[in-house]
Amino acid sequence: MPMIEIRDVSKWYGTFQVLTDCTTNVEKGEVIVVCGPSGSGKSTLIKTVNALEPFQKGDIFVDGIKVNDPKTNLPKLRARVGMVFQHFELFPHLTITQNLTLGQVKVLGRSPEEARTRGMKYLDRVGLISQKDKFPGQLSGGQQQRVAIARALSMDPICMLFDEPTSALDPEMINEVLDVMVGLAKEGMTMMVVTHEMGFANKVANRVIFMDRGTIVEDATKADFFGKPRSERAQQFLAKILHH
Amino acid sequence: MIAGFDFNVIERSLGYLFREGMTFTLTLTGLAALGGIIFGTLLAMMRLSSHKWLSLPATGYVNLMRSIPLLLVIFWFYFLVPYIGAWIVGSPTPIQVGAVASSVITFTMFEAAYYSEIMRAGIQSVPRGQVWAGYALGLNYWQTMGKVVLPQAFRNMIPILLTQTIILFQDTSLVYVLSITDFLGAASKIAQRDGRLVEMYLFAALVYFIISFTLSYVVKLLQQKIAIIR
């Protein structure tokens, strides 16, 4: 059974179709990179996986649980799926420690002490234990994104979704975030990553999905994708972003 | 000319003015502000709901309250609430709520409409990604609202909420039409008893001015202090 199964998913905003018959799987332990030009629907697709974006047609299963079933306990499902956003989305009115413990206490029912211990473990892992009493606004973008990853990890997720985690960062901060993600991938975390960082894809991805205008144009192994992409659109895209 | 005035009347009545009048004015302001903000926040959440059966009644209520003069609403509640109450509990005679209770209900319900517009703007000022982040952690709607969205909305809106409360503080003087002894009502009673209208109304205006002005100044200070670091 795949960890994430996306089956014929289509989505419309009114009459405008943003996703068309998207189908793919993410196996346990796999790292999938989703790329494509802006507006191609990659962010929308990844948000359908934990039902942040509703969709009108098709099915999505996470660990065998149907996401689009009205009877599914979405908060419970989402708590098991870690998500990292483009703009970090740490809670600005809470300290770093409170950001890390909120979900653990409110959703998983852990005691504040236990949540704190766990949170600090992951904060230490991303190298930011010294920042634990600060507010998000006092950290750099790269640091905030690492805290966001620690926040997601402290919920003990079965898989992680990354929605353009480095797109809002200054160039010199991108690597500190990618390093954390590479570490996670090497530990065997199941990851679905929307990114333009082809270096990251090359290093750890099992498969690369290329999207254009709401459809999955190419779903290939890393070697195939970088070696000989079949679609012309993917070739053009690669030529453009690998140019420099 | 000033010789004809007797400003001692103020000193003689200070105890009555503040112990009776101002106490009531502040109590009414406090209760109505608290109730208004709570109801207003719920109304704002209803208005922003995607369920039509929640958003439409809330929108209707807010528009109704904001289109009717406050004085009329005060009369309305005073004369209608006893009958509505009787109808709800099935009593044959109007339920006596009393002028004080009626004024608290009126101001709470009326101000809720204004506070709800402020809270609606406050909720909308919180980026959508914050809601996503709350949901993604597994928080449900009420937890996301209570722990993530509303604390930020309140913080963003505190200056405007306080400004609205200063307006409420001044508006509570309208309860004199229900013969309640608020601060202005007390001043008015003394003024008429002793024939010292000019002195008492001048003094009342001065007190309202000082309190409102000081609070506005506090709002300004707060504005600089509480801004969330982003």
Side-chain angles (χ1 to χ4, degrees):
Chain A
M1 183 178 66
M3 186 62 87
I4 301 169
E5 188 176 357
I6 300 172
R7 230 190 255 161
D8 289 324
V9 167
S10 296
K11 176 183 171 70
W12 289 263
Y13 284 124
T15 55
F16 179 70
Q17 188 159 13
V18 278
L19 294 176
T20 309
D21 297 326
C22 296
T23 299
T24 192
N25 286 339
V26 183
E27 299 296 331
K28 193 171 187 315
E30 252 188 340
V31 177
I32 303 294
V33 164
V34 183
C35 63
S38 58
S40 59
K42 0 179 246 305
S43 284
T44 309
L45 181 69
I46 202 167
K47 285 198 187 84
T48 59
V49 173
N50 61 353
L52 291 181
E53 289 278 6
F55 51 95
Q56 285 79 29
K57 197 178 140 273
D59 294 304
I60 294 181
F61 297 87
V62 174
D63 197 28
I65 298 163
K66 193 170 166 186
V67 173
N68 50 315
D69 185 339
K71 287 197 285 288
T72 298
N73 182 342
L74 277 182
K76 206 175 155 196
L77 179 70
R78 284 169 176 151
R80 302 170 69 206
V81 179
M83 182 144 197
V84 175
F85 298 87
Q86 182 177 1
H87 297 288
F88 332 133
E89 306 301 351
L90 295 177
F91 305 130
H93 59 298
L94 302 178
T95 64
I96 300 305
T97 305
Q98 289 168 328
N99 263 281
L100 289 162
T101 53
L102 178 67
Q104 296 186 67
V105 173
K106 291 282 159 193
V107 181
L108 302 180
R110 289 178 183 158
S111 70
E113 301 79 51
E114 190 192 353
R116 211 184 137 80
T117 313
R118 293 232 178 198
M120 292 307 114
K121 183 179 120 194
Y122 288 107
L123 193 60
D124 192 28
R125 188 197 152 138
V126 299
L128 292 171
I129 194 87
S130 59
Q131 315 289 323
K132 65 181 165 54
D133 296 320
K134 289 194 180 161
F135 283 90
Q138 297 169 296
L139 270 55
S140 72
Q143 290 174 325
Q144 287 191 52
Q145 194 62 300
R146 280 145 68 198
V147 172
I149 294 173
R151 177 174 73 178
L153 289 175
S154 63
M155 299 289 288
D156 297 327
I158 52 173
C159 59
M160 291 276 287
L161 308 173
F162 293 83
D163 183 10
E164 304 207 33
T166 57
S167 299
L169 295 175
D170 290 336
E172 71 263 32
M173 295 172 183
I174 290 178
N175 280 331
E176 65 186 59
V177 172
L178 288 180
D179 286 347
V180 173
M181 291 168 61
V182 168
L184 270 180
K186 291 198 166 143
E187 274 171 31
M189 175 61 82
T190 310
M191 294 161 70
M192 186 167 172
V193 186
V194 173
T195 185
H196 291 140
E197 296 295 331
M198 288 303 129
F200 171 79
N202 215 346
K203 205 183 264 173
V204 294
N206 297 95
R207 278 186 7 253
V208 180
I209 289 174
F210 176 75
M211 288 185 72
D212 189 27
R213 284 181 220 144
T215 52
I216 292 179
V217 179
E218 189 124 2
D219 187 344
T221 63
K222 176 174 69 185
D224 282 350
F225 185 78
F226 287 113
K228 42 176 175 42
R230 282 160 297 191
S231 72
E232 201 179 317
R233 193 66 190 83
Q235 285 169 19
Q236 285 169 358
F237 179 76
L238 275 181
K240 259 185 206 145
I241 63 168
L242 296 179
H243 190 67
H244 296 288
Chain B
M1 181 188 150
I2 208 96
F5 293 130
D6 171 19
F7 283 97
N8 281 331
V9 67
I10 295 165
E11 207 189 312
R12 288 198 306 271
S13 55
L14 273 182
Y16 173 67
L17 284 176
F18 281 91
R19 229 176 292 129
E20 299 251 327
M22 191 49 87
T23 306
F24 178 80
T25 295
L26 290 179
T27 309
L28 178 58
T29 306
L31 287 177
L34 187 68
I37 288 174
I38 293 170
F39 273 117
T41 303
L42 289 172
L43 277 172
M45 287 162 69
M46 283 169 72
R47 278 197 85 170
L48 291 171
S49 164
S50 51
H51 300 291
K52 279 243 159 24
W53 49 271
L54 278 174
S55 65
L56 282 181
T59 308
Y61 178 81
V62 170
N63 286 334
L64 177 71
M65 282 297 166
R66 300 210 309 162
S67 318
I68 299 177
L70 174 54
L71 196 53
L72 197 52
V73 179
I74 293 172
F75 277 132
W76 242 39
F77 271 82
Y78 186 58
F79 292 113
L80 277 181
V81 166
Y83 287 97
I84 295 171
W87 177 72
I88 289 172
V89 300
S91 151
T93 52
I95 290 179
Q96 296 303 318
V97 274
V100 171
S102 172
S103 69
V104 172
I105 297 170
T106 307
F107 276 91
T108 300
M109 302 306 276
F110 188 80
E111 290 299 319
Y114 286 87
Y115 284 123
S116 92
E117 286 297 273
I118 297 170
M119 285 313 296
R120 185 165 69 120
I123 292 169
Q124 283 175 323
S125 75
V126 178
R128 198 150 163 239
Q130 289 283 304
V131 180
W132 277 335
Y135 284 156
L137 277 176
L139 301 177
N140 61 32
Y141 173 80
W142 290 101
Q143 290 169 328
T144 305
M145 271 291 161
K147 293 287 169 187
V148 177
V149 178
L150 290 182
Q152 295 185 60
F154 269 118
R155 230 166 281 206
N156 293 345
M157 289 296 137
I158 278 180
I160 310 178
L161 288 170
L162 282 175
T163 304
Q164 181 63 35
T165 307
I166 296 171
I167 298 172
L168 165 65
F169 167 69
Q170 294 160 14
D171 284 352
T172 53
S173 58
L174 286 172
V175 296
Y176 93 97
V177 298
L178 301 182
S179 305
I180 295 174
T181 311
D182 71 323
F183 183 71
L184 185 59
S188 175
K189 273 179 193 165
I190 304 277
Q192 276 158 26
R193 188 194 65 190
D194 298 359
R196 293 290 167 195
L197 296 172
V198 177
E199 293 89 334
M200 288 313 290
Y201 285 138
L202 264 178
F203 177 67
L206 186 71
V207 170
Y208 276 108
F209 174 80
I210 289 172
I211 294 178
S212 300
F213 188 79
T214 311
L215 283 175
S216 307
Y217 187 73
V218 171
V219 170
K220 215 171 118 188
L221 289 183
L222 266 178
Q223 223 158 357
Q224 294 155 357
K225 247 197 155 159
I226 49 142
I228 298 175
I229 321 152
R230 282 205 184 270

